[in-house]
């Protein structure tokens, strides 16, 4: 992970200043002591969710849980500085390597969910293979936190097939969590591009896809959070978004 400097931060701020003005003109390895809240079925919601209610000033920043653990800790701390709460969809093998992060995520008041065991193309798998990917991560979450977690997001795809959706429900996840804003931070386009894309597309109820493990995301996050605050949009957990 590259070191984020003060110059990096200034670059992002300058690159997004025009966007902020435009937006203002357009609109005003042991068990964790406390378990994760398990998702409850919401009959009014579809099986696959891309965004929350559009009539409330809330958004959900969701992170694919993988990569450098130092980046994860930095991003969580940065979010908390702004009073934001996020959702982390963790990869099972990442939890194996960094089991302490499960507790760190929960201690910060964030949501923790399932992003499959190995982060492979789950929609291309057989039923047996896909089930193992979902339940493998669920078992790790259960062992570390006492719960299978709040949400399931399929790996290598924004939308689950009917088969994967059914398998997720059988594993204890009533809804598959997708998103309506893709930051594309995993392509490493530069922090200004990440911030600009998110802020151009985000609105009430949005679910944003972000990733741990990228320096661009670290530099972009404060700019995104500052602009969300200016617009009166609260960054909340996915559970709160849909509550």
């Amino acid at each position: 992970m590259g070191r984020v400097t003060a110059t990096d931060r200034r670059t992002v701020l300058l690159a997004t200043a025009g966007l902020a003005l435009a937006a203002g003109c357009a609109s005003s390895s042991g068990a964790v002591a406390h378990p994760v809240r398990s998702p409850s079925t919401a009959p009014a919601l579809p099986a696959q969710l891309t965004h929350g209610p559009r009539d409330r000033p809330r958004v959900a920043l969701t992170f694919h849980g993988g990569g450098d653990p130092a980046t994860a800790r930095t991003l969580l701390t940065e979010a908390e500085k702004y009073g934001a709460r996020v959702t982390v969809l963790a990869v099972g093998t990442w939890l194996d390597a960094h089991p302490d992060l499960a507790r760190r995520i929960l201690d910060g008041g964030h949501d923790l969910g399932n992003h499959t065991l190995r982060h492979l193309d789950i929609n291309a798998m057989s039923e047996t293979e896909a089930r193992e990917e979902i339940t493998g991560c669920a078992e790790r979450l259960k062992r570390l936190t006492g719960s299978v977690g709040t949400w399931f997001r399929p790996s290598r795809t924004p939308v689950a097939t009917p088969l994967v959706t059914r398998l997720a429900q059988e594993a204890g996840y009533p809804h598959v969590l997708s998103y309506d804003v893709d930051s594309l931070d995993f392509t490493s386009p530069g922090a200004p591009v990440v911030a600009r894309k998110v802020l151009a597309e985000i609105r009430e109820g949005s679910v944003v896809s972000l990733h741990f493990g990228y320096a661009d995301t670290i530099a972009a996050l404060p700019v995104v959070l500052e602009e969300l605050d200016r617009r009166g949009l609260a960054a909340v957990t996915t559970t709160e978004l849909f509550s």
Side-chain angles (χ1 to χ4, degrees):
M1 180 188 73
R3 179 172 176 268
V4 180
T5 66
T7 300
D8 295 329
R9 176 73 183 281
R10 285 195 297 272
T11 299
V12 182
L13 289 168
L14 289 171
T16 55
L19 176 62
L21 289 172
C25 294
S27 61
S28 59
S29 9
V32 174
H34 53 287
V36 187
R37 291 165 292 174
S38 295
S40 58
T41 303
L45 297 176
Q48 300 208 45
L49 303 172
T50 57
H51 64 80
R54 295 298 194 190
D55 59 352
R56 290 186 290 179
R58 299 175 179 175
V59 299
L61 304 181
T62 67
F63 288 84
H64 299 242
D68 183 357
T71 306
R73 293 187 182 94
T74 299
L75 284 165
L76 291 170
T77 299
E78 198 65 37
E80 290 156 11
K81 285 180 183 177
Y82 289 85
R85 295 297 177 263
V86 304
T87 299
V88 179
L89 291 312
V91 176
T93 53
W94 185 70
L95 290 173
D96 285 341
H98 313 290
D100 59 302
L101 281 173
R103 182 166 204 157
R104 171 65 185 88
I105 291 164
L106 297 178
D107 284 348
H110 310 290
D111 271 359
L112 179 61
N114 183 329
H115 196 37
T116 74
L117 178 60
R118 297 174 295 164
H119 202 261
L120 304 176
D121 185 357
I122 194 168
N123 282 348
M125 294 180 181
S126 69
E127 180 170 347
T128 298
E129 292 171 329
R131 179 181 288 107
E132 290 174 350
E133 282 293 309
I134 297 170
T135 60
C137 186
E139 288 165 1
R140 284 157 173 79
L141 288 167
K142 180 78 171 179
R143 184 175 68 247
L144 290 170
T145 72
S147 165
V148 298
T150 49
W151 304 94
F152 169 74
R153 173 170 288 166
S155 49
R156 306 280 178 160
T157 176
V159 179
T161 61
L163 170 62
V164 172
T165 300
R166 174 173 63 80
L167 294 174
Q169 291 172 339
E170 291 175 358
Y173 305 98
H175 307 285
V176 172
L177 182 63
S178 186
Y179 44 86
D180 63 324
V181 178
D182 190 348
S183 69
L184 298 179
D185 57 349
F186 63 92
T187 65
S188 297
V193 176
V194 172
R196 189 161 56 242
K197 188 175 192 305
V198 171
L199 293 173
E201 299 176 15
I202 198 168
R203 62 192 181 104
E204 288 84 352
S206 282
V207 177
V208 184
S209 172
L210 295 152
H211 293 74
F212 288 158
Y214 295 90
D216 288 350
T217 314
I218 293 177
L221 186 61
V223 179
V224 169
L225 291 173
E226 287 170 9
E227 176 61 13
L228 291 180
D229 183 66
R230 194 192 69 79
R231 296 183 191 181
L233 293 173
V236 300
T237 65
T238 307
T239 297
E240 186 176 355
L241 182 71
F242 288 101
S243 66

